[in-house]
Amino acid sequence: MPSSGKSTIGKLLSGFLGLQFVDLDDVIEEKEGMDITTIFSEKGEPYFREVEHESLLIQTEQLDGFVMATGGGTPCHYNGIDYMNQNGVTVFLKVNIEDLYTKLSKKGSTKRPLLKDKTLEELYLELKTRYDSRISHYSKAQIIIDQSFKDIAERTNEVLFAIKTLEKNPQ
């Protein structure tokens, strides 16, 4: 979900694991020569989702050993979660809607294209609707970590421990 800590925790994990960090949104912005918000407004979400999926495939095929922060919609389109599960270890950072809402509403207006220019009530409803529509995809992740009410170090350590445990006990 937006603002769940994917990029922050991803960067920390990559350091602990000694792997390259890739932010899929950054890859897309560089490829397209414009920010995500502009891509959405000028070319639309369907175009963005195609570029997102293509970028996921290219990065996965070209890199060997990395930590990637995807956009919140990546697992939900073009069988993204299934592809990611087949090609790596997936982690769902589960944060409750109230925590996400609190975090995003403190920031004021968000740059995130699907949340941009929403009133606080609309923001909450959008987060809830998005979560409800995505949870079936997110629940397919190999690791699910409840991240609510924890600081970033504690959250990162939980993910690191879960990855190490999964490596020792593959399913």
Side-chain angles (χ1 to χ4, degrees), residues 28 32 34-53 77-78 113-114:
I28 294 166
E32 293 294 307
M34 60 182 86
D35 64 30
I36 301 298
T37 302
T38 305
I39 297 169
F40 265 78
S41 66
E42 291 185 6
K43 298 187 176 187
E45 184 177 0
Y47 176 84
F48 172 79
R49 295 301 176 194
E50 287 177 25
V51 171
E52 178 183 53
H53 180 68
H77 299 276
Y78 298 99
L114 296 176

Side-chain angles (χ1 to χ4, degrees), residues 15-96:
F16 286 124
L17 297 171
L19 298 172
Q20 179 180 349
F21 174 73
V22 176
D23 187 309
L24 193 58
D25 283 350
D26 291 346
V27 170
I28 294 166
E29 289 180 345
E30 184 175 324
K31 178 184 183 297
E32 293 294 307
M34 60 182 86
D35 64 30
I36 301 298
T37 302
T38 305
I39 297 169
F40 265 78
S41 66
E42 291 185 6
K43 298 187 176 187
E45 184 177 0
Y47 176 84
F48 172 79
R49 295 301 176 194
E50 287 177 25
V51 171
E52 178 183 53
H53 180 68
E54 177 184 297
S55 298
L56 173 66
L57 299 179
I58 290 168
Q59 293 299 304
T60 303
E61 291 168 7
Q62 289 181 349
L63 299 174
D64 185 31
F66 59 92
V67 174
M68 179 183 287
T70 66
T74 308
C76 309
H77 299 276
Y78 298 99
N79 298 311
I81 190 64
D82 297 327
Y83 177 80
M84 291 186 288
N85 278 336
Q86 292 167 4
N87 291 281
V89 175
T90 54
V91 179
F92 169 33
L93 302 175
K94 186 176 182 181
V95 180
N96 70 47

